[in-house]
């Protein structure tokens, strides 16, 4: 019964995404234009209260919150959101996109085996699965896709973004990113753009939006953002995290009641995983609480 309910929830969200895209003529506000001064102040205050501000200043922590409940008026706040970091398994979302595009274009056949590989690659961060799917998509094909005008998830002349330049296996990188020399990299902003476009139905077709949402649903690893929000009821969670040594990352598209939001965290510190767990609840609180009423000064 629970599985059926979850499938219905994913299908409902996919339908909503499609309707939003159709209603807007396949256009939506750019996330880069969504910076919200009040939300930015609230995010900064919250991070200070959590005792993590010095790590933001050192460049060891990137945090982003995008509230997308109203698709016509997204609200964005970020700290080091355009700073590229090693992101471990988080960039597997790029492989998921590459597979969805290849299937949609007829270059790959979605059979039961590939479906299971995609789900296990994301939910359980299966490294062999990721490497096999990456080989099917084409290593350099994926890099070209990420840099294409259609997606623009990596800008070699700007701040970088999502990058996959190494198999998720032992061995050397086949193509490190040209800006930071990373094998698996990301910026919080470009990860958020991935979820933003997925949520708005402008990433792939409705059928493959549903496929991607299914893979991102029901997280199989209960740490970081998932652990920090596990006490809350009624959450619909679409998520991918990453961990390697002292690099920690997490990202999620979340529906909580009538609110929809995106959170992304990247950290380079041995305590980074604990930070992301610690921040998840306060980030959710910023969304649920809504904008702080402005004080009215009476003369």
């Amino acid at each position: 019964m629970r599985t059926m309910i979850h499938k219905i929830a994913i299908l409902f969200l996919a339908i909503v995404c499609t309707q939003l895209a159709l209603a807007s003529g396949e256009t939506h506000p750019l996330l880069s234009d969504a910076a919200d001064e009040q939300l930015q102040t609230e995010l900064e205050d919250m991070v200070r209260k959590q005792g993590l501000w010095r790590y933001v200043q050192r460049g060891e922590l990137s945090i982003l919150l995008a509230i997308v409940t109203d698709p016509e008026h997204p609200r964005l706040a970020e700290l080091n959101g355009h700073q590229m970091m090693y992101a471990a398994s988080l960039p597997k979302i790029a492989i998921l996109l590459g597979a969805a595009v290849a299937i949609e274009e007829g270059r790959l056949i979605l059979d039961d085996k590939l479906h299971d590989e995609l789900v296990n690659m994301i939910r359980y961060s299966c490294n062999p699965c990721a490497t096999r799917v990456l080989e099917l998509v084409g290593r350099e094909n994926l890099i070209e896709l990420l840099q294409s005008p259609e997606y623009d998830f990596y800008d070699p002349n700007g701040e970088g973004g999502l990058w996959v330049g190494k198999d998720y296996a032992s061995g050397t990188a086949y193509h490190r990113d040209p800006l930071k020399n990373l094998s698996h990299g990301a910026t919080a902003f470009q990860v958020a753009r991935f979820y933003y476009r997925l949520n708005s139905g402008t990433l792939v077709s409705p059928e493959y939006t549903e496929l991607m949402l299914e893979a991102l649903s029901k997280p199989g690893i209960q740490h970081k953002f998932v652990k920090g929000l596990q006490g809350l009821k009624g959450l619909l969670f679409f998520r991918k995290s990453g961990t390697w040594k002292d690099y920690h990352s997490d990202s999620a598209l979340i529906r909580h009641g009538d609110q929809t939001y995106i959170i992304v965290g990247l950290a380079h510190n041995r305590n980074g995983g604990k930070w992301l767990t610690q921040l998840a609840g306060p980030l959710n609180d910023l969304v649920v609480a809504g904008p702080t009423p402005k004080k009215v000064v009476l003369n």
Side-chain angles (χ1 to χ4, degrees), residues 127-162:
N127 285 333
C129 302
T131 297
R132 287 191 290 266
V133 175
L134 179 58
E135 184 174 4
L136 292 173
V137 171
R139 295 170 177 83
E140 294 297 332
N141 287 341
L142 180 58
I143 289 174
E144 290 179 9
L145 179 75
L146 294 175
Q147 296 181 86
S148 68
E150 169 68 20
Y151 295 104
D152 195 26
F153 285 126
Y154 183 91
D155 182 2
N157 299 311
E159 297 161 332
L162 271 173

Side-chain angles (χ1 to χ4, degrees), residues 59-106:
E60 296 178 20
L61 175 63
S62 298
I63 289 291
L64 182 147
L65 169 63
I67 302 175
V68 296
T69 306
D70 180 353
E72 294 301 317
H73 300 95
R75 303 176 64 216
L76 171 70
E78 52 84 13
L79 298 168
N80 295 329
H82 295 270
Q83 176 179 308
M84 194 166 179
M85 286 189 180
Y86 181 76
S89 288
L90 192 158
K92 289 174 183 175
I93 61 175
I95 303 176
L96 177 64
L97 171 63
V101 171
I103 295 166
E104 190 170 31
E105 294 178 348

Side-chain angles (χ1 to χ4, degrees), residues 94-299:
I95 303 176
L96 177 64
L97 171 63
V101 171
I103 295 166
E104 190 170 31
E105 294 178 348
R107 293 184 286 110
L108 284 183
I109 302 299
L110 181 62
D111 55 16
D112 290 343
K113 180 179 180 180
L114 178 56
H115 177 275
D116 290 346
E117 297 268 51
L118 293 174
V119 170
N120 291 329
M121 172 181 74
I122 300 298
R123 286 187 194 170
Y124 306 102
S125 209
C126 169
N127 285 333
C129 302
T131 297
R132 287 191 290 266
V133 175
L134 179 58
E135 184 174 4
L136 292 173
V137 171
R139 295 170 177 83
E140 294 297 332
N141 287 341
L142 180 58
I143 289 174
E144 290 179 9
L145 179 75
L146 294 175
Q147 296 181 86
S148 68
E150 169 68 20
Y151 295 104
D152 195 26
F153 285 126
Y154 183 91
D155 182 2
N157 299 311
E159 297 161 332
L162 271 173
W163 187 268
V164 177
K166 182 183 181 299
D167 292 349
Y168 282 92
S170 60
T172 59
Y174 55 82
H175 194 154
R176 292 185 177 273
D177 94 275
L179 292 179
K180 297 291 186 177
N181 201 39
L182 298 175
S183 56
H184 303 120
T187 64
F189 178 76
Q190 290 294 359
V191 174
R193 276 192 66 240
F194 169 91
Y195 287 103
Y196 181 62
R197 290 194 58 180
L198 184 63
N199 182 63
S200 65
T202 63
L203 198 58
V204 291
S205 68
E207 180 180 1
Y208 300 113
T209 293
E210 183 181 351
L211 172 67
M212 295 179 71
L213 288 169
E214 180 188 4
L216 289 158
S217 70
K218 296 191 290 187
I221 303 175
Q222 307 296 309
H223 66 355
K224 299 176 185 175
F225 286 160
V226 174
K227 183 177 180 180
L229 295 173
Q230 64 186 180
L232 298 177
K233 295 182 179 180
L235 289 181
L236 189 57
F237 224 113
F238 304 92
R239 178 259 195 150
K240 185 71 193 83
S241 65
T243 306
W244 186 74
K245 295 186 177 179
D246 57 353
Y247 290 94
H248 298 270
S249 58
D250 209 346
S251 62
L253 167 66
I254 298 173
R255 286 188 65 88
H256 186 192
D258 59 356
Q259 299 283 357
T260 303
Y261 64 95
I262 298 161
I263 51 176
V264 183
L266 304 171
H268 182 194
N269 187 288
R270 64 180 182 177
N271 295 314
K274 295 179 181 179
W275 296 348
L276 299 181
T277 300
Q278 175 184 340
L279 288 167
L283 285 167
N284 182 79
D285 291 343
L286 289 181
V287 178
V288 174
T292 303
K294 295 182 179 180
K295 294 182 180 179
V296 178
V297 178
L298 299 177
N299 293 323

